[in-house]
Amino acid sequence: MDIITGDDASSLVGDKDLALNADVRLYYTAIAHRDQWRAFPPGSDYVRNYDAFAKAFADNGLPAADLDDGQAMSEHDAVLTAAVAIRKAKDVTTVNTIAPFVMQQQCKNPVGGATGYIAFPNTGGGDPVDKAMPIMQIRPDGSATQEDLVWPAGKPLDPDTTC
């Protein structure tokens, strides 16, 4: 039996009392994972952006295990996207003066984050375009492994061809 659930299952990683075995497999969609770019070429933007983030994370004394659930990566990318927008805004007085600049991070002008490119549709919608989603499996010993990396469009965002 395969059980498939959302990213909240990341809180189960490390739990050895889940009663999982070869007949019961637990998969979840992670918001991000430190290994999600392992299959990409070392010089790719995806790998370089993640490596720069991971180095800064480690240089600040933060434990590598905190990268397993993707929260730190996503939070970094949210702050990075906001910082890019703030730098572009000329008169920052409220959140409302920054929001339009966040939405300008469109396909042709994405922010390169640890979780991949952050871009919003040219139509002004609020959902990011082609965000990567790691598919994780929790093993019987409580460890998690990445089984796949998927995108809504079936491939990574390409600023030159996606939008």
Side-chain angles (χ1 to χ4, degrees):
M1 174 191 323
D2 290 340
I3 300 169
I4 303 168
T5 188
D7 65 277
D8 286 346
S10 66
S11 66
L12 300 174
V13 174
D15 188 339
K16 295 178 178 21
D17 297 325
L18 293 175
L20 297 174
N21 58 44
D23 296 326
V24 179
R25 293 175 300 272
L26 176 58
Y27 296 92
Y28 67 95
T29 55
I31 58 172
H33 191 266
R34 67 177 167 185
D35 291 334
Q36 74 184 51
W37 305 119
R38 70 176 179 230
F40 279 63
S44 73
D45 288 344
Y46 292 98
V47 172
R48 269 197 326 271
N49 292 337
Y50 174 77
D51 286 349
F53 160 76
K55 181 181 180 322
F57 198 82
D59 288 351
N60 281 289
L62 301 167
D66 285 353
L67 300 178
D68 286 345
D69 66 5
Q71 293 292 334
M73 293 167 63
S74 291
E75 290 162 5
H76 164 271
D77 287 0
V79 171
L80 175 63
T81 302
V84 168
I86 289 167
R87 288 181 191 128
K88 290 180 178 184
K90 301 221 183 299
D91 184 24
V92 178
T93 55
T94 69
V95 170
N96 293 334
T97 61
I98 299 166
F101 292 93
V102 170
M103 296 312 295
Q104 287 179 6
Q105 308 313 310
Q106 297 173 343
C107 294
K108 300 289 184 196
N109 190 28
V111 174
T115 64
Y117 284 119
I118 296 95
F120 298 96
N122 296 334
T123 59
D127 292 328
V129 175
D130 292 336
K131 277 303 290 166
M133 183 184 327
I135 306 299
M136 307 296 294
Q137 180 181 9
I138 299 179
R139 303 283 184 185
D141 68 357
S143 66
T145 58
Q146 182 176 317
E147 298 299 313
D148 205 351
L149 186 63
V150 298
W151 294 264
K155 60 187 173 71
L157 175 79
D158 180 346
D160 295 325
T161 63
T162 299
C163 298

